[in-house]
Amino acid sequence: GNGNDFTPNGFTPDSVVADTPSNNYCVMNPLNHFGSVSSSYGNLIGSAQKDAEIRASIPVPNHGKWYWEGQFVSGSSSDAQFGIVDPTTQPGYASNQSVVFSADSGDIWNYSGRASYGQSWRNDYVACAVDMDNHSIRFYVNGVAQPDLTIGGYPATNFFVSMCSDNGGGGSLKFNFGQRSWTHEPPEGY
């Protein structure tokens, strides 16, 4: 109205996302963090520097199956991690109250410390499928399933999706919580 129309400039197909009161999507929350973090691209790119963590805006519900993916877009990947964290402890990888998957080594932190797990995902797509009813989690690298894990503990409240880094460096991930087409199809039932 009133002749105040704007011409879109520089938009790509994934620049606009339908977000209504009945159709909301998670983003990364630069206010829910530990250490030096930033966000961009409508808070869908989360960045964490050395010894830092950025968390999502909506907690993972305690019931049901949940899936999201990320694309490693920048950083040293030494050592960026992706997964779920207990928000009462910081940062996720060091708390022994999280499940995070390392970009550089493919190792996993599952409540009890670091262990060998899957393939590294430097400069790749990584995804996570969480079944809260069965307390299990599985990561994917470029659509290839890594081993299924039982989550090693329960958070004090709810888990949050996290991108964190340890003392080796940091990185940035472009997240997709379903607001655009999946790069790799989620597993059946998610």
Side-chain angles (χ1 to χ4, degrees), residues 58-103:
I58 300 172
V60 177
N62 287 326
H63 298 284
K65 294 181 177 182
W66 308 98
Y67 178 85
W68 61 94
E69 63 185 10
Q71 176 189 10
F72 192 91
V73 293
S74 68
S76 67
S77 81
S78 176
D79 192 23
Q81 292 117 24
F82 169 88
I84 57 175
V85 299
D86 181 332
T88 63
T89 60
Q90 299 174 357
Y93 69 89
S95 72
N96 287 335
Q97 292 180 296
S98 62
V99 184
V100 292
F101 182 29
S102 167

Side-chain angles (χ1 to χ4, degrees), residues 20-189:
T20 67
S22 61
N23 189 28
N24 288 297
Y25 293 97
C26 189
V27 295
M28 299 311 287
N29 183 356
L31 302 176
N32 188 0
H33 75 282
F34 176 82
S36 179
V37 302
S38 62
S39 63
S40 59
Y41 197 70
N43 290 341
L44 290 175
I45 294 180
S47 301
Q49 302 309 312
K50 181 179 176 180
D51 291 324
E53 174 180 279
I54 186 169
R55 299 180 187 132
S57 60
I58 300 172
V60 177
N62 287 326
H63 298 284
K65 294 181 177 182
W66 308 98
Y67 178 85
W68 61 94
E69 63 185 10
Q71 176 189 10
F72 192 91
V73 293
S74 68
S76 67
S77 81
S78 176
D79 192 23
Q81 292 117 24
F82 169 88
I84 57 175
V85 299
D86 181 332
T88 63
T89 60
Q90 299 174 357
Y93 69 89
S95 72
N96 287 335
Q97 292 180 296
S98 62
V99 184
V100 292
F101 182 29
S102 167
D104 194 47
S105 65
D107 288 351
I108 195 84
W109 280 261
N110 187 2
Y111 270 77
S112 59
R114 189 175 189 158
S116 180
Y117 172 66
Q119 75 183 67
S120 68
W121 47 273
R122 181 182 294 184
N123 300 318
D124 289 323
Y125 287 89
V126 62
C128 185
V130 176
D131 181 345
M132 293 303 292
D133 295 326
N134 293 303
H135 213 59
S136 67
I137 187 168
R138 175 170 275 177
F139 293 94
Y140 296 78
V141 177
N142 293 325
V144 177
Q146 306 302 294
D148 194 36
L149 297 167
T150 298
I151 298 171
Y154 292 89
T157 57
N158 291 74
F159 285 114
F160 276 80
V161 174
S162 171
M163 188 272 168
C164 53
S165 66
D166 72 5
N167 59 11
S172 298
L173 289 177
K174 182 179 180 182
F175 285 84
N176 181 5
F177 295 100
Q179 63 269 57
R180 60 182 187 274
S181 298
W182 299 113
T183 303
H184 298 282
E185 203 58 37
E188 189 173 329

